Amino acid sequence: MTTQSISFYERVDGALHDASLKTALSRATERFIGNRAGAIGALSDEAALRDTARAIRAGALSRLDELLAQLATNVESRGGTVCWASDGEEARTYIAELAKARGVRSIVKSKSMASEEIHLNHALEEAGLEVVETDLGEYIIQLAGETPSHIIAPSIHKTREQVSELFHQHLGVPLTDDIQTMTQTARTALRQRFLKADMGISGVNFGVADEGAVVIVENEGNARLSTTVPRIHVAIMGIERIVARMEDLGVMLQVLARSATGQKLSVYTSMISGPARSGEEDGPEEFHLVLLDNGRSKILGGEYAEALLCIRCGACLNACPVYQAIGGHAYGGVYSGPIGAVLTPLLQPDLPEAYMLPQASSLCGACQEVCPVRIAIPDMLLRLRADAVKAGKAHPVEKAAMRGYVMTMNNPAVYRAGGRAARLGSRLIGRKGRIRRLPPPLSGWTHGRDFPTLSGTSFGEWWEEREKKRKEAAQ
Amino acid sequence: MSRDQILSNLRTSLASSRSWLAGEAQGASHDIPPYVLPPADNLADQFTAELRSLSGQVYRVGDDAGAVGQIGAILAEKGASQVIAWDMREIGLAGLPQLLAARGVALAATDIQGGGRHDRLQELEPASICISGVEAGIAESGSLLLRHGPGRPRLASLLAPYHIAVLRSSQLVRGLGDALAQARSRYGDDIFTATSNLTLITGPSRTADIEMTLSLGIHGPQEIHVVLIEQAAAAR
Ligand code: SF4
């Protein structure tokens, strides 16, 4: 709510001047980067693993129609039920009606970006259901009444002091500085929620077409509890999150864990195919798979199809200097960081100012460099900017900025000014196939003035400068 | 109907992007064995080192009697009076039922299906120990693959704060890819016929959601104890 009612400019400005957010973000993203670097360093052939991951994802998407139908058929043959949801409304209605029909009162949820995307919790609460987020980070932000600020670590923006204060307020426990104590407080509070729940709702990291299985990756065990203890399990999967064969997991699970958190494998990976079989003493009596389209089937045919390769590892967020400076909430959508700047205008186009998100990038190329499926995020951001200008949405300052980027594209010498930027510049120039895909207005623009960001300027300085220009332009 | 609409949208979309995607799919073999470490001389050593680096406990014993002795020591240390366990036949460790009986440790009733589910879960909750077998151990990552099913409840590696798993060195494989390939060759198309769930476990439950600071035992077991039986060594 709050994040959407104030403007993109105000959010970024607020984030840049929020000292405790800055502390939390820098403590966390530095840790992430270090972990990831450690894990990647141990790899004998990391490049080959990433090439394979990209090939597997692209191959699955190239047959998405066939694989999705196969997944659904196999889930049904294992006794599960499949809901094909064209949009958020269909998914929300299906789940709310199912809960009503089965006399569900209490629901436990494990982390699911797709459910955030369709604002599921809100709809279920409206229907009179009690919904508890059980991932520690999600639980913290649910208590705080906020939305996730990071794909992997939703409460990355909170300091320990703030968490302690929340637990003190909501759970009546004494204030503490000790993180292990806070963790145990959450365990105790949430355990009873699990044991009393009638329905568990989870996301899906991968749908495995040949086995009719969904794969859920986590570290805490809350997804295992959510999918084992309650009598009904509902899994929500974006339709693009598919792999063809169980064997593909041999690559994908390792790539995901390494890129996300720097682990060799995440602590728990559940592969679930339908409800409990006869003789199984636990597990749900009913299994429902919600296949969520919400614009994805159209995106697949357009120039942003590559974004559908994303496995939501979050590495591009941690690597991004803009994300490091402003955090996830400033992006305003469910998905933040570089990939969020691409996905939000596509998946949540009605969000006011979604078109501005592609501006929130310095195009330094760090995101593409760390992406385990090598998504060309900077290229897509450029194209989205061009689209916004074409649609008459972009601001004069954005247009000026755009000219700056275009100049850089045409003039690699400018890029060579700064380390990382130079590397990207030559890569972009070297990838001729990509450049040709830029839409006509961009290709028509030529030299502008200064390159608006990068190199010596920090994002913060650049932002101040840009704000000044914007205010002048508005007068 | 949404199913037909979604599939038809996908077909329309793929008409323009299929060739690009198919080209990208050919950018690399899909079948590279995805090893992440150089081959190790000894899988048991590698498994042990990896799991210990994640704060897991590994006890290497020569035979079933050694394993039973080790489990007895853990039960004593934790003061366990009730365990949530797989069916004893599924664990397949000679002497384990006798150990539990001798120590007066009760086996909790693990069947929560049907009416009274919430009540039975409340009865399971106080148990302090889980005991399970495994399907395979993965040396490169210190992971266990558990194939759940009748007699192999999922809660027996999940609900209590301490999880004891019985692993035999013959069950060790090098990488995740090998574990999946082995499941495929063992069960063919029937991996999920008699069970709805396969789970990989790599170390104790953990979270880093508060300031990225590691904290163990948030929802699953905070300690994992793997009793590794190295029979080949015993036979020598
Ligand atoms: S775009 Fe790449 S790096 Fe970013 S979340 Fe997706 S897969 Fe990870």
Side-chain angles (χ1 to χ4, degrees):
Chain A
M1 282 287 115
T2 47
T3 53
Q4 288 171 32
S5 53
I6 56 174
S7 79
F8 176 66
Y9 285 114
E10 287 167 294
R11 287 196 306 268
V12 172
D13 222 35
L16 283 173
H17 295 105
D18 179 339
S20 91
L21 174 67
K22 232 176 227 171
T23 311
L25 280 173
S26 67
R27 282 181 194 165
T29 50
E30 276 164 27
R31 192 80 57 106
F32 259 128
I33 291 170
N35 287 349
R36 181 184 166 278
I40 303 289
L43 267 182
S44 37
D45 195 354
E46 196 245 334
L49 201 60
R50 287 212 268 165
D51 289 340
T52 300
R54 181 178 172 89
I56 286 172
R57 288 290 296 133
L61 289 187
S62 76
R63 299 195 286 142
L64 186 53
D65 51 343
E66 171 203 332
L67 293 180
L68 209 51
Q70 186 191 5
L71 174 69
T73 305
N74 285 337
V75 166
E76 283 162 353
S77 76
R78 306 285 195 202
T81 309
V82 177
C83 161
W84 295 76
S86 292
D87 55 23
E89 178 61 34
E90 287 185 18
R92 288 190 300 265
T93 306
Y94 179 84
I95 298 170
E97 282 181 359
L98 175 70
K100 206 157 125 203
R102 300 294 191 273
V104 168
R105 279 195 306 227
S106 157
I107 299 175
V108 281
K109 263 188 80 214
S110 60
K111 194 160 58 194
S112 154
M113 293 304 291
S115 78
E116 296 282 349
E117 177 185 324
I118 63 171
H119 305 298
L120 179 63
N121 287 8
H122 184 67
L124 295 175
E125 279 158 11
E126 295 258 285
L129 297 155
E130 186 182 284
V131 187
V132 186
E133 292 288 351
T134 59
D135 171 89
L136 177 60
E138 295 275 353
Y139 180 60
I140 291 168
I141 60 170
Q142 190 183 31
L143 289 181
E146 296 175 2
T147 52
S149 63
H150 189 285
I151 296 177
I152 298 298
S155 62
I156 196 172
H157 59 289
K158 288 267 181 255
T159 60
R160 73 175 80 189
E161 294 80 10
Q162 292 172 320
V163 174
S164 176
E165 180 61 39
L166 273 174
F167 284 3
H168 176 64
Q169 268 176 28
H170 291 266
L171 305 172
V173 293
L175 289 171
T176 173
D177 196 34
D178 181 47
I179 290 177
Q180 182 69 28
T181 306
M182 294 182 219
T183 302
Q184 287 308 312
T185 299
R187 176 182 172 114
T188 310
L190 287 167
R191 184 51 74 93
Q192 280 304 317
R193 303 298 197 122
F194 281 116
L195 300 185
K196 292 184 177 134
D198 305 300
M199 176 185 276
I201 298 179
S202 75
V204 173
N205 292 92
F206 301 103
V208 184
D210 70 346
E211 289 293 345
V214 296
V215 178
I216 304 165
V217 175
E218 53 153 348
N219 280 325
E220 297 188 358
N222 63 310
R224 286 191 71 196
L225 285 166
S226 302
T227 59
T228 298
V229 170
R231 64 189 150 92
I232 303 166
H233 171 202
V234 178
I236 309 174
M237 172 182 152
I239 55 170
E240 84 283 16
R241 307 293 296 273
I242 207 159
V243 294
R245 312 170 301 159
M246 199 182 73
E247 284 77 354
D248 294 335
L249 297 175
V251 173
M252 299 313 301
L253 292 176
Q254 303 199 70
V255 163
L256 175 60
R258 279 160 187 280
S259 302
T261 51
Q263 292 163 276
K264 292 206 175 77
L265 283 177
S266 303
V267 177
Y268 300 118
T269 301
S270 300
M271 303 172 224
I272 297 171
S273 176
R277 304 293 186 273
S278 116
E280 279 194 86
E281 293 147 281
D282 51 27
E285 292 164 9
E286 288 183 41
F287 173 78
H288 298 258
L289 176 61
V290 177
L291 296 172
L292 177 69
D293 182 343
N294 209 28
R296 291 164 170 81
S297 61
K298 294 254 165 65
I299 295 171
L300 184 64
E303 55 183 335
Y304 305 106
E306 190 179 356
L308 297 177
L309 296 176
C310 174
I311 59 172
R312 307 279 190 276
C313 73
C316 57
L317 280 63
N318 304 321
C320 176
V322 177
Y323 179 90
Q324 284 168 25
I326 65 175
H329 285 149
Y331 291 80
V334 170
Y335 304 102
S336 60
I339 190 64
V342 175
L343 287 176
T344 300
L346 299 173
L347 293 175
Q348 300 184 287
D350 296 337
L351 208 64
E353 303 180 335
Y355 72 92
M356 290 174 87
L357 291 176
Q359 306 291 335
S361 160
S362 60
L363 295 183
C364 71
C367 48
Q368 183 172 1
E369 207 164 287
V370 297
C371 176
V373 288
R374 303 185 189 282
I375 297 175
I377 302 172
D379 293 17
M380 279 191 282
L381 290 172
L382 269 175
R383 275 180 264 143
L384 281 162
R385 289 176 181 184
D387 287 354
V389 171
K390 204 161 45 168
K393 283 177 174 173
H395 200 274
V397 179
E398 269 84 68
K399 287 185 186 162
M402 177 72 77
R403 282 201 299 276
Y405 295 120
V406 172
M407 180 207 70
T408 312
M409 304 274 298
N410 293 336
N411 190 353
V414 174
Y415 252 117
R416 293 210 182 92
R420 203 162 229 166
R423 268 178 283 146
L424 173 76
S426 49
R427 188 179 319 156
L428 280 178
I429 305 301
R431 293 178 56 167
K432 297 212 181 62
R434 289 277 161 194
I435 299 284
R436 262 188 276 117
R437 287 175 51 186
L438 286 172
L442 242 189
S443 55
W445 286 332
T446 47
H447 298 228
R449 290 166 308 201
D450 306 283
F451 187 63
T453 174
L454 263 192
S455 315
T457 325
S458 77
F459 180 77
E461 291 162 349
W462 172 71
W463 179 266
E464 300 290 345
E465 180 58 25
R466 191 167 175 284
E467 270 294 78
K468 228 169 60 200
K469 282 193 202 157
R470 187 179 74 90
K471 284 183 187 131
E472 284 164 16
Q475 275 160 11
Chain B
M1 194 186 152
S2 296
R3 177 185 188 274
D4 299 335
Q5 186 58 52
I6 292 171
L7 289 176
S8 123
N9 285 352
L10 287 175
R11 283 179 198 121
T12 309
S13 283
L14 283 171
S16 55
S17 58
R18 197 187 303 263
S19 64
W20 180 74
L21 287 165
E24 292 296 312
Q26 278 158 22
S29 157
H30 296 203
D31 289 315
I32 298 174
Y35 296 123
V36 292
L37 294 173
D41 298 336
N42 182 318
L43 292 182
D45 289 349
Q46 191 177 32
F47 176 88
T48 303
E50 288 296 329
L51 187 52
R52 284 185 180 156
S53 76
L54 300 170
S55 309
Q57 308 289 325
V58 183
Y59 311 91
R60 298 172 67 166
V61 297
D63 55 18
D64 284 24
V68 169
Q70 187 57 57
I71 293 172
I74 301 170
L75 292 174
E77 186 203 318
K78 304 295 181 195
S81 59
Q82 189 188 200
V83 297
I84 304 173
W86 282 15
D87 184 301
M88 289 295 126
R89 283 159 302 190
E90 298 290 337
I91 299 175
L93 180 62
L96 182 59
Q98 292 79 355
L99 170 81
L100 296 177
R103 297 199 60 86
V105 175
L107 280 168
T110 45
D111 191 352
I112 61 166
Q113 303 293 11
R117 191 176 181 112
H118 294 307
D119 295 338
R120 265 170 283 162
L121 282 161
Q122 293 293 353
E123 287 162 21
L124 286 172
E125 172 63 13
S128 57
I129 303 239
C130 287
I131 306 180
S132 77
V134 307
E135 178 79 12
I138 301 171
E140 278 195 340
S141 54
S143 308
L144 302 173
L145 175 63
L146 275 65
R147 183 168 187 268
H148 296 110
R152 300 167 161 227
R154 309 179 204 180
L155 291 176
S157 57
L158 177 60
L159 207 61
Y162 312 112
H163 172 207
I164 302 172
V166 179
L167 170 69
R168 293 180 188 275
S169 53
S170 58
Q171 293 176 305
L172 284 171
V173 296
R174 180 177 166 195
L176 172 63
D178 299 315
L180 296 172
Q182 188 188 65
R184 174 71 75 204
S185 69
R186 196 172 284 169
Y187 304 104
D189 290 336
D190 290 321
I191 294 176
F192 288 105
T193 299
T195 178
S196 59
N197 183 289
L198 252 59
T199 298
L200 283 160
I201 299 178
T202 308
S205 158
R206 67 185 211 170
T207 183
D209 277 350
I210 305 176
E211 287 189 4
M212 296 290 292
T213 301
L214 189 63
S215 180
L216 299 181
I218 166 72
H219 289 300
Q222 75 187 53
E223 290 180 16
I224 181 164
H225 299 260
V226 174
V227 181
L228 173 54
I229 305 171
E230 297 181 88
Q231 273 139 330
R236 234 186 291 143

